[in-house]
Amino acid sequence: MEDTPAHRATASVVCYFDPSCPFVWATSRWLLEVERLQPIDLRFRIMSLSVLNEHRELEPWYREFNDRAWGPARVCAAAEALHGNAVLRDLYTALGRRVHVAGNKDYDVVIPESLDESGLPASLAKAAHTDEFDAALRASHQAGQEAVGEEAGTPVVTVDGAGFFGPVLTSVPRGEEAVRLFQATRILAGTGAFAELKRGRGALDLR
């Protein structure tokens, strides 16, 4: 078999997520589907749309979204700082199922429920309303930006050390389709000349 990045046994993948963003939720579920079907070394790290957009002029609805998005991101930063990076996977899944699949945007309800499901202390919920862990949140966010090489929103993904914005998905590929997309993504990530590929977005389907 040809020794290309798409065919090597194990890829190293980091998914930088903002728990409030629906697009990174779709990308993260795709990566978990890929992990289920083939060996990849998949880790999750936090980025923050609130940090990215805190000094920008935004439309009122998007400013409200960003102001509220501090809460879940801060709780994830606190969880990682106090309990290690590995807890982010289950905490993000618990948050995302409530926010993006069930459509519950009441973070004061969603956060305690998600902490409980993840086996994490309820006291972490207090981080949503303080800046105690903002330094850790900003540092993780900055690492994702540096991986891309310019300012980028979510999703940010690194594959074998190459970072990029995307892939942006409007639904979650499953089975062979998920694997094919990952193989293509890995080829693009390993191509130094590749910079950007984009088309219009369809309607979101996060089931």
Side-chain angles (χ1 to χ4, degrees):
M1 181 178 292
E2 184 181 359
D3 183 26
T4 65
H7 291 107
R8 291 176 196 144
T10 303
S12 176
V13 183
V14 181
C15 177
Y16 287 86
F17 70 94
D18 182 312
S20 299
C21 176
F23 291 104
V24 73
W25 173 254
T27 299
S28 70
R29 299 310 98 178
W30 160 63
L31 289 171
L32 287 169
E33 174 73 354
V34 174
E35 181 186 56
R36 186 180 71 83
L37 297 168
Q38 70 175 54
I40 62 173
D41 177 14
L42 174 61
R43 293 188 300 120
F44 290 89
R45 296 193 64 186
I46 315 156
M47 71 157 292
S48 173
L49 291 171
S50 303
V51 171
L52 182 69
N53 294 312
E54 64 182 329
H55 300 306
R56 293 179 175 176
E57 292 285 337
L58 304 174
E59 294 184 33
W61 72 269
Y62 195 47
R63 169 50 58 201
E64 181 185 10
F65 170 88
N66 279 268
D67 289 348
R68 295 183 67 248
W70 281 106
R74 282 169 163 165
V75 170
C76 286
E80 182 178 29
L82 297 176
H83 300 278
N85 174 264
V87 304
L88 288 181
R89 177 186 291 238
D90 288 346
L91 177 56
Y92 177 35
T93 293
L95 287 165
R97 278 204 305 262
R98 289 167 172 80
V99 173
H100 303 301
V101 179
N104 187 352
K105 303 301 195 292
D106 187 344
Y107 295 148
D108 287 335
V109 171
V110 164
I111 288 170
E113 289 181 352
S114 300
L115 290 169
D116 181 65
E117 180 182 321
S118 306
L120 291 166
S123 58
L124 288 172
K126 295 184 295 185
H129 302 290
T130 76
D131 61 2
E132 181 180 358
F133 294 93
D134 279 12
L137 176 60
R138 291 176 186 278
S140 186
H141 172 84
Q142 186 59 30
Q145 301 296 288
E146 290 172 358
V148 177
E150 62 181 37
E151 286 193 343
T154 51
V156 165
V157 174
T158 72
V159 178
D160 296 329
F164 48 87
F165 168 64
V168 177
L169 303 172
T170 55
S171 62
V172 183
R174 304 289 183 186
E176 187 176 342
E177 182 184 29
V179 173
R180 286 201 312 269
L181 176 58
F182 182 75
Q183 290 171 344
T185 301
R186 199 175 184 193
I187 289 170
L188 292 176
T191 303
F194 172 72
E196 186 172 354
L197 186 67
K198 188 173 183 178
R199 67 178 177 184
R201 298 177 184 176
L204 269 172
D205 180 0
L206 299 180
R207 293 172 292 177

